[in-house]
Amino acid sequence: MTTLFEPAFAKINLTLDVLGKRDDGYHELQTVMQTISLRDDIEIDVGTGKPWVLKCDKEGVPCDERNLAWKAAKVFSDVTGIDLGGIEIRITKRIPSEAGLGGGSADAAAVLRALNGHFGAPLSIGALAELGGQIGSDIPFCVIGGTCMCEGRGEKLRVLPKMPECVIVVCKPEFGVSTPELYRKIDSVAIPKHPDNRAMEAALLAGDLGKVAENVYNVFDPIVTEEHLEMNYIKSIMNSYGALTFQMTGSGSAIFAIMPDFEYAAVVCNMLRENYPGIFISMPV
Ligand code: ATP
């Protein structure tokens, strides 16, 4: 039996645009995604000789075939024809759920990377990302990581220049957001403002953090903020302590702030921690 260790990094959406609804019911997206250092840890015992087991230290996360990490191991085994000889997956969870931070997707991607590495890379990184797309739209990005422009349902990826070094504070309010309901809402209104993805790409190419911050925008942010005014409270604290920008990530409900330095990030955390225990300091990776 061998034990594999793999980090599962969260993502944020620096931009998120909805371009329209497709005939197949999915939405056409254009989003710049960024991996951050907030992470779950994945351990996999391969070749246990026993039925598959999945353990997670956080309540409420399914510990069976519904877990995206389990699905990833299954699809990897099916597609490569490799018999895993029994596995035990252990997940140490730090990424909050229903946050827009892609926690489940990150775990699945980590399993794909770990198994592919262990078995001598039977799949190229591109093929592995594509395989992840069979399980969830954000998994291809989580397999590749870094900074990417993601289009289609999120599965068409283009690697972008790395985000400039900075400190990112992530704050998860208690309430969750129903993603299908959010998409229904956005279908029923004219989107008043769209992110400028070209300007974001140019800012990344120039390595200009100020311009990156200027172009952070998520079309879902105003919709969720309108219904949950506490988002404004969190943002106002971030703003007071020098955030270059602040925005909801994905379909929420976590908000991230790009901070000029670690000291100010620590102050924001101290100010918010009492009411919002789901607060983290991280960096782009
Ligand atoms: P996203 O950013 O993709 O919208 P999310 O914020 O909704 O993700 P996830 O952590 O991906 O949060 O969890 C969404 C749901 O998926 C959970 O409520 C849980 O039931 C299920 N789930 C399946 N696998 C996992 C996993 N490995 N970790 C967490 N949740 C998982």
Side-chain angles (χ1 to χ4, degrees):
M1 190 185 79
T2 314
T3 303
L4 315 177
F5 300 90
E6 188 75 21
F9 293 110
K11 61 84 180 165
I12 55 172
N13 300 78
L14 294 177
T15 65
L16 176 51
D17 201 4
V18 177
L19 302 179
K21 195 170 176 185
R22 310 187 323 193
D23 292 342
D24 62 6
Y26 287 104
H27 287 78
E28 192 67 25
L29 305 180
Q30 196 176 45
T31 171
V32 175
M33 294 217 239
Q34 174 65 48
T35 315
I36 58 170
S37 56
L38 169 62
R39 67 169 214 259
D40 294 344
D41 285 324
I42 306 290
E43 286 178 40
I44 312 172
D45 294 338
V46 182
T48 60
K50 295 184 193 151
W52 286 24
V53 173
L54 188 145
K55 294 177 180 166
C56 181
D57 63 348
K58 192 176 161 210
E59 251 176 65
V61 175
C63 286
D64 52 25
E65 67 283 350
R66 288 168 299 167
N67 195 295
L68 294 174
W70 182 302
K71 287 185 184 171
K74 174 83 172 63
V75 82
F76 178 83
S77 169
D78 289 350
V79 163
T80 58
I82 294 171
D83 178 4
L84 303 178
I87 53 168
E88 178 171 315
I89 301 174
R90 291 180 293 278
I91 304 175
T92 305
K93 265 250 157 253
R94 295 187 199 90
I95 307 173
S97 290
E98 295 184 359
L101 293 164
S105 304
D107 295 348
V111 167
L112 289 176
R113 278 196 310 267
L115 291 176
N116 199 48
H118 176 66
F119 288 103
L123 300 176
S124 68
I125 191 78
L128 202 61
E130 217 174 296
L131 188 60
Q134 292 182 18
I135 315 169
S137 309
D138 289 343
I139 299 176
F141 168 72
C142 293
V143 168
I144 307 280
T147 314
C148 287
M149 174 72 76
C150 309
E151 294 177 273
R153 287 165 53 197
E155 79 288 1
K156 291 184 206 150
L157 299 186
R158 193 156 46 83
V159 176
L160 297 178
K162 269 177 74 171
M163 184 180 183
E165 271 182 33
C166 61
V167 182
I168 295 172
V169 170
V170 175
C171 180
K172 167 71 176 78
E174 267 298 301
F175 69 88
V177 177
S178 156
T179 306
E181 209 174 291
L182 198 53
Y183 275 98
R184 270 197 296 279
K185 275 189 194 139
I186 207 148
D187 287 339
S188 68
V189 294
I191 300 174
K193 180 184 165 186
H194 293 270
D196 185 343
N197 274 314
R198 281 183 156 199
M200 177 57 86
E201 272 201 68
L204 289 164
L205 196 61
D208 184 335
L209 185 63
K211 284 265 186 288
V212 168
E214 251 174 51
N215 285 291
V216 163
Y217 190 72
N218 176 351
V219 291
F220 290 122
D221 181 298
I223 299 176
V224 175
T225 303
E226 196 179 31
E227 285 184 11
H228 298 276
L229 293 178
E230 67 173 309
M231 304 274 281
N232 283 330
Y233 169 72
I234 295 168
K235 290 174 180 176
S236 72
I237 299 287
M238 292 168 161
N239 190 36
S240 302
Y241 293 96
L244 303 180
T245 189
F246 34 81
Q247 192 77 184
M248 192 178 80
T249 175
S251 54
S253 62
I255 302 173
F256 69 89
I258 299 181
M259 302 301 299
D261 60 39
F262 182 80
E263 279 70 28
Y264 280 107
V267 176
V268 168
C269 284
N270 285 338
M271 295 299 292
L272 289 172
R273 184 167 288 120
E274 199 176 319
N275 292 329
Y276 300 99
I279 189 150
F280 308 88
I281 295 185
S282 64
M283 289 176 312
V285 282

